Amino acid sequence: MRNPRKTQDVDKVFSRHAAHTASIDRGHQVIATQARSPSMKIVVIGGTGLIGSNIVNRLRLDGHEAVAASPRTGINAMTGEGLGEALAGTQVVVDASNSPSFEDQAVREFFETSTRNLLAAEAAAGVGHHVALSIVGTDRLPENGYFRAKVAQENLIKASPIPYTILRSAQFFEFIGGIIDSSADGDTIRLSPALIQPIAADDVSALLADLTVGAPMNAIVEVAGPDRFPLDELARQFLAARQDRREVVADVHARYFGSELDDRSLVAGDDARIGPTRFHNWLSRSSARA
C-alpha cells in the first residue's frame, strides 16, 4: 500500500543560503555544487513573471547584471523584437517564459517559435549557456498539449550547439488553485487520486538562479517538493485552508488538462533536487495573506 505522504530522500535537499549556492546534504556534511561566479550579464526571458522576476532579483542581489526581458520591457522572443540588442554582451540566457494561450496549437507555436528565435539570437551574440524551465512529467503525458509543446521546446534546446541546462519542475503550490478550478463542475471538483509532488515557486527560483551561474550541464535536472500527496487530498487541504466548501471527489478517470494520471505522472525521479518548503507551511502563510 502506498504512503500518500511519502517524503522524498532528504539527501537531495538544496540550500537557499548566501550566494544562492545549491548544495547537497549528505548526512551532516553540506557539499556546495555551485560556487559564487564573477559578475555576468544574464537575460531572463519572462523576467517580469512569477519565476522570472524572482530570479532577476536573486541574480541582482548577487551582483549580476540581470535583464528582465518580456514584451512589457520591449523584448519579445516570439516576434524577435529587441532580442539582438538585449543579448549583446550576454553570457547566459534564462527562459522562464510562458505561453499567453493554453490552446494546443497556440502553445506549441509559442514555445517552438520563441525558442528558435532565442537560440538563433544567442548564437549570433555568442551566449555560452541557455537555461530553460520545463515541467516534471512532460514526457509522460502525451495527451496534454502543453506538455507536448514543452517536449518540443526541450528537443530544440538539446539539438542546438549552445550549451544548456533544462530544469524540470514539479507543479508549483501557487498553481494548485488553478488545477482545482479547471476540474470544477459547479460545487463539485473531480480530481485523480494519483500522486503529485508540488513545490514552492520560490524554491524553484532559488535553484534556477543557482544553475544559471553554474557551468552548463547539457542535461535535464528535476526539482520537486519534499512530500507527495494524492491530488484529490491536496485539493481538500487547499480548499479547507481557504474555507472553500466545494466538494472534492476522487475519480481515477478524472483528467488533468486532458490526461489521465497514474502515480508516476506528476512526481519526480529518485535523483531530483528537493525544495525545502513543505506544503503545510506554505499553505499557512498564503492563507494568512489571502
Side-chain angles (χ1 to χ4, degrees):
M1 181 176 180
R2 77 184 185 205
N3 179 0
R5 294 177 178 269
K6 179 180 178 182
T7 299
Q8 193 79 351
D9 185 354
V10 295
D11 284 352
K12 301 213 173 57
V13 174
F14 65 84
S15 170
R16 293 185 295 164
H17 296 313
H20 308 299
T21 299
S23 62
I24 300 173
D25 183 353
R26 302 193 183 283
H28 294 292
Q29 180 184 14
V30 177
I31 305 170
T33 59
Q34 305 287 359
R36 178 186 282 273
S37 64
S39 177
M40 295 186 289
K41 180 182 178 184
I42 301 166
V43 173
V44 181
I45 307 297
T48 58
L50 173 66
I51 300 295
S53 60
N54 192 317
I55 296 167
V56 167
N57 290 337
R58 290 175 181 275
L59 294 173
R60 288 175 177 170
L61 285 172
D62 282 348
H64 300 288
E65 180 189 351
V67 178
S70 75
R72 197 184 311 170
T73 63
I75 304 166
N76 191 324
M78 184 67 175
T79 65
E81 177 190 1
L83 277 183
E85 296 85 350
L87 266 57
T90 295
Q91 284 79 50
V92 186
V93 170
V94 182
D95 188 359
S97 63
N98 201 4
S99 172
S101 169
F102 284 3
E103 188 274 324
D104 285 4
Q105 184 59 36
V107 73
R108 183 166 185 132
E109 180 180 353
F110 174 84
F111 282 117
E112 287 188 334
T113 301
S114 62
T115 300
R116 287 193 180 100
N117 287 341
L118 271 177
L119 293 172
E122 289 170 26
V127 172
H129 189 187
H130 180 97
V131 182
L133 178 62
S134 191
I135 308 171
V136 163
T138 51
D139 52 349
R140 295 194 289 269
L141 295 176
E143 293 178 329
N144 185 309
Y146 191 94
F147 281 28
R148 289 197 304 271
K150 294 300 287 185
V151 169
Q153 179 191 35
E154 291 179 2
N155 287 339
L156 288 170
I157 294 167
K158 289 185 285 187
S160 167
I162 298 171
Y164 70 90
T165 304
I166 296 172
L167 179 63
R168 284 184 180 173
S169 170
Q171 297 294 352
F172 307 150
F173 294 154
E174 290 82 356
F175 190 47
I176 293 169
I179 295 172
I180 292 170
D181 290 341
S182 73
S183 303
D185 181 9
D187 288 335
T188 301
I189 298 159
R190 293 189 178 277
L191 288 169
S192 171
L195 294 179
I196 188 170
Q197 193 174 353
I199 184 170
D202 189 56
D203 292 346
V204 177
S205 301
L207 180 56
L208 200 55
D210 291 335
L211 295 173
T212 295
V213 300
M217 300 179 71
N218 292 317
I220 293 172
V221 180
E222 288 190 327
V223 66
D227 300 299
R228 298 175 178 179
F229 305 87
L231 180 55
D232 63 310
E233 177 57 30
L234 188 73
R236 290 189 190 94
Q237 292 186 37
F238 183 90
L239 293 176
R242 283 162 170 70
Q243 300 182 351
D244 188 326
R245 298 184 180 279
R246 286 180 291 175
E247 180 186 13
V248 177
V249 176
D251 180 352
V252 294
H253 298 298
R255 290 186 173 265
Y256 177 88
F257 300 103
S259 299
E260 287 193 14
L261 303 176
D262 60 36
D263 279 349
R264 284 290 303 129
S265 299
L266 298 176
V267 300
D270 292 338
D271 292 329
R273 310 286 181 91
I274 301 301
T277 305
R278 294 194 176 277
F279 177 65
H280 67 270
N281 292 330
W282 175 87
L283 189 60
S284 297
R285 293 195 299 268
S286 63
S287 296
R289 293 193 299 265

